């Protein structure tokens, strides 16, 4: 019988696993967004959580994965092979024509060079137009559909093959799925501001709408939970205070006030038009002297700003991994 690992070793391995997973997701999304924007400069690129979007139409849960590791190239190859099965579980349009990008981030333990391995599957599918039944109306409330699970291979002669397990968005569902993707994106943006009811209005029950109906964001009424003018633009959102190796740090997450007002009242069409028009001028990363820290603005109008709270010793304490909430 193998002796159990000491708690310190188990803790270290668990930490490395979390680190590789989180960094793998971050680098993969950043690289995918960069590649897509360079390939399609006339389009707006938006990252949508696939598991949430799919729950608008399917009750089953499809496993999705972003991979990272502290191993070697062989480990990344295994991760890409397993991730390909996850990608194959979602088809948009014709059979086996949905393009995909798979990433595995290799994080060295010796301080060497980080490597991101990529695997591309080209295809002519993945486009949600033209709509077969109707044109999409993004301002309609989100609709929870009950799409039959299963990916449908092409018919061979007079015999229709048995469906393969997974989610298949066919032409008849294009308009509904465009609306679901738009609402899921809007919900994620509203959750980033801390607005519960504004988030809930863009989700179906199966996507977790009821989880966001408990607390109301004051900014959607006559008051505001947190607002800041950053680099000349007013943002609505919420504040968090935490400790970073000792000093208390304030984090403000929010969205452009104009974008916020549009999504609070459910005007998804106008919100998407505004984001598309400003996609080349809005994104920036700067140090705001009035705020007192770095400010990162994304193309969708979201902002994340950090600053060390004044009136304290800003020198970090030599305590590894100390973190927590401070009221």
């Amino acid at each position: 019988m193998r002796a159990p690992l000491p708690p310190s070793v188990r803790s270290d391995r668990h930490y490395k696993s979390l680190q590789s997973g989180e960094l793998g997701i971050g680098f993969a999304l950043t690289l995918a967004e960069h590649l897509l924007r360079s390939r399609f400069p006339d389009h707006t690129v938006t990252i949508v959580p696939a598991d949430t979007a799919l729950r608008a139409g399917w009750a089953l849960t499809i496993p999705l994965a972003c991979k990272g590791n502290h191993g070697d190239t062989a480990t990344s190859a295994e991760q890409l092979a397993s991730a390909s099965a996850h990608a194959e579980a979602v088809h948009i349009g014709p059979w086996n024509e949905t393009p995909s990008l798979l990433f595995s981030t290799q994080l060295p333990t010796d301080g060497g060079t980080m490597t991101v391995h990529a695997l591309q599957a080209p295809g002519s599918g993945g486009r949600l137009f033209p709509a077969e039944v109707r044109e999409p109306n993004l301002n309609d409330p989100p609709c929870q559909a009950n799409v039959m699970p299963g990916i449908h291979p092409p018919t061979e002669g007079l015999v229709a093959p048995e469906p393969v397990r997974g989610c298949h968005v066919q032409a008849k569902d294009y308009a509904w799925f465009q609306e679901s993707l738009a609402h899921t994106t809007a919900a994620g943006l509203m959750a980033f501001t801390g607005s519960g009811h504004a988030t809930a209005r863009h989700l179906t029950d199966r996507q977790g709408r009821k989880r966001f109906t408990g607390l109301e964001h004051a900014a959607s009424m006559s008051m505001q939970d947190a607002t800041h003018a950053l680099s000349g633009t007013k943002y609505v959102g919420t504040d968090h205070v935490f400790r970073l190796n000792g000093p208390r740090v304030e984090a403000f997450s929010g969205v452009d006030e104009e974008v916020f007002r549009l999504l609070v009242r459910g005007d998804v069409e106008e919100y998407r038009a505004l984001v598309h028009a400003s996609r080349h001028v809005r994104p920036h990363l700067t140090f705001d002297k009035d705020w007192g820290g770095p400010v990162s603005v994304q193309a969708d109008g979201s902002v994340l700003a950090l600053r060390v709270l004044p009136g304290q010793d800003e020198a970090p304490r030599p305590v590894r991994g100390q973190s927590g909430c401070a009221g």
Side-chain angles (χ1 to χ4, degrees):
M1 179 180 296
R2 180 180 298 177
L5 295 173
S8 60
V9 176
R10 293 200 302 268
S11 176
D12 187 58
R13 288 187 176 181
H14 176 68
Y15 173 75
K16 286 185 176 180
S17 177
L18 290 177
Q19 181 192 58
S20 61
E22 292 174 354
L23 291 178
I25 292 172
F27 285 116
L29 294 180
T30 301
L31 183 56
E33 189 173 4
H34 174 76
L35 289 174
L36 290 172
R37 281 180 175 166
S38 63
R39 291 186 181 184
F40 306 99
D42 296 330
H43 292 72
T44 299
V45 178
T46 305
I47 302 298
V48 183
D51 53 346
T52 304
L54 292 174
R55 287 193 184 103
W58 291 267
L60 58 98
T61 300
I62 296 297
L64 301 165
C66 293
K67 309 285 187 175
N69 67 83
H70 284 280
D72 51 19
T73 303
T75 304
S76 289
E78 293 176 358
Q79 290 184 337
L80 290 173
S82 63
S84 65
H86 300 150
E88 287 292 329
V90 179
H91 272 42
I92 299 176
W95 163 264
N96 211 28
E97 286 293 335
T98 305
S100 64
L101 278 171
L102 307 177
F103 299 97
S104 175
T105 302
Q106 185 180 331
L107 303 168
T109 58
D110 58 358
T113 303
M114 182 192 69
T115 305
V116 179
H117 301 271
L119 183 64
Q120 178 184 7
S124 60
R127 298 176 180 270
L128 295 171
F129 60 86
E132 186 175 279
V133 177
R134 61 177 177 84
E135 291 298 316
N137 184 350
L138 304 185
N139 287 348
D140 281 348
C143 174
Q144 181 166 291
N146 292 293
V147 184
M148 287 294 293
I151 301 173
H152 305 275
T155 301
E156 300 176 359
L158 300 177
V159 179
E162 290 292 323
V164 178
R165 180 177 172 81
C167 300
H168 194 171
V169 183
Q170 301 181 75
K172 62 183 179 63
D173 298 317
Y174 281 0
W176 160 78
F177 198 57
Q178 286 186 63
E179 295 164 357
S180 295
L181 290 176
H183 280 292
T184 303
T185 303
L189 203 54
M190 291 295 93
F192 193 63
T193 70
S195 176
H197 281 267
T199 302
R201 75 172 299 154
H202 296 288
L203 296 174
T204 67
D205 286 344
R206 203 158 52 217
Q207 289 177 306
R209 178 171 61 89
K210 295 181 180 179
R211 300 177 185 175
F212 294 94
T213 55
L215 298 175
E216 177 56 78
H217 194 302
S220 65
M221 300 181 290
S222 59
M223 299 172 58
Q224 294 179 337
D225 176 50
T227 60
H228 291 288
L230 303 169
S231 302
T233 301
K234 191 173 183 179
Y235 294 92
V236 178
T238 187
D239 287 306
H240 304 274
V241 177
F242 60 95
R243 290 193 182 277
L244 186 62
N245 286 337
R248 298 172 68 216
V249 177
E250 179 183 7
F252 171 73
S253 62
V255 71
D256 184 297
E257 185 181 41
E258 185 176 2
V259 172
F260 183 85
R261 300 298 178 192
L262 289 172
L263 291 181
V264 162
R265 67 170 184 253
D267 196 342
V268 180
E269 294 273 7
E270 183 63 24
Y271 142 72
R272 289 173 65 86
L274 177 62
V275 169
H276 183 74
S278 59
R279 68 191 185 280
H280 295 311
V281 298
R282 195 193 299 273
H284 66 270
L285 175 64
T286 186
F287 187 94
D288 190 306
K289 292 183 179 180
D290 293 332
W291 163 258
V295 175
S296 175
V297 180
Q298 299 301 308
D300 60 2
S302 61
V303 63
L304 177 63
L306 300 174
R307 65 180 174 185
V308 176
L309 291 179
Q312 60 178 325
D313 180 11
E314 298 184 6
R317 301 174 184 175
V319 179
R320 180 182 178 186
Q322 179 182 352
S323 63
C325 297

